[in-house]
Amino acid sequence: MSEIRLKIDGKEVTVEAGKTILDAARKAGIDIPTVCHHEKLESFGGCRLCTVEAESGGRTNLVAACIYPAANDLVVWTRSPQIDKIRKVLTEQLLAYAPESEVLKAIAEDYHADKDRFPKEPSFCILCGLCVRYCAEVKKKNVVGFLDRGPCREINFIPELAAVECWDCKECFPLCPTSALQAAFVLTEALISLSPSLQKIDTRAKTASA
Amino acid sequence: MDTTNISAIIDKYNGEASALIQILLDIQNDLHWLPREALELVSERLGVPMSRIQHTATFYKAFSLVPKGRHEINVCVGTACHVRGANRVLEVVQNITGIQPGETDADLKFSLETVNCLGCCALGPVMEIDEQHLGKLAPAMAADLLKGYQ
């Protein structure tokens, strides 16, 4: 039972047990768009752009390919009018938060997504968790984490740890799919909160811009 | 800060990382908030990173990272209570305690929150003080009840 055979877009694919649909598709050379996926990291299933149709036991479900385990006799379709529409709307929503993201713009082009469909709310963070997971899983430093929940959710560097750990690392910066500087911005904010003299400059800048 | 109580709470759960939420709840009940020193101690003893504790502590509404009063007042403003006059009850509570929802008064006596349902709509308007449900309130009654708290 170590080998699993499934069908993706009509193609027979064989993968080891424990792999996901996304792994199987990539192995077969079938492209599924992803934003929150990274080979070195545990799957997160946050962006849902990898949504595919998985058919088993006569039922078709929409599942996130990056977290759905490949199973025998599974029939997967990675493109259909319904999936294309889901990816289009998701991309449009993500673009409202990160209008300048190159990754998202490329996906938008593939799926004819209108980048101006939703009013802009540029937080420049789509909460993909790449920086959070990279810091926890690869670097094992746990400097950056999530804060709050729902619409208030954001990423946050722990100032005391950041002051020690981040200076020589900054490996999370290039991971960011929205704009490489978002993690840098949040990190700077965290470091400013540590230093009273910088705080003065920060408030002055804020009052000047207001 | 006296950390013996917090240590005792952590010991009660054998310092198991999976008991994080339960430990935080116990600390919250004990101190009415989660002080930074307490979270640092929990992080160290359980081996759970601070970022994870911060995530958990900000995720659940039961936790507070700022000091709360000795008595926590939750006034229900859900639909059933709303139509039965929850707003007038809330107004009286605000006047007596001198605080708005989400605030705590200066001598840490009361914290005030509004909630959307306490699950006993037949008793509306309802408020909850220190987990005790007070139902079928009239504004004057709420005022009398509040005077009984020290």
Side-chain angles (χ1 to χ4, degrees), chain B residues 106-129:
Chain B
D107 44 4
L108 293 181
K109 187 173 170 191
F110 289 119
S111 293
L112 179 60
E113 290 284 349
T114 57
V115 294
N116 288 322
C117 191
L118 289 169
C120 46
C121 303
L123 294 178
V126 189
M127 76 174 167
E128 189 191 49
I129 305 182

Side-chain angles (χ1 to χ4, degrees), chain A residues 142 146 148-149 156 158 160, chain B residues 36 49 51 54 58-59 61:
Chain A
N142 293 295
F146 285 115
D148 222 315
R149 62 169 168 185
N156 174 267
I158 294 180
E160 289 76 13
Chain B
R36 191 195 180 88
S51 58
Q54 211 178 33
T58 53
F59 188 92
K61 267 214 151 171

Side-chain angles (χ1 to χ4, degrees), chain B residues 2-14:
Chain B
D2 184 23
T3 54
T4 43
N5 270 357
I6 296 160
S7 285
I9 291 171
I10 300 171
D11 288 336
K12 200 170 95 188
Y13 294 96
N14 302 322

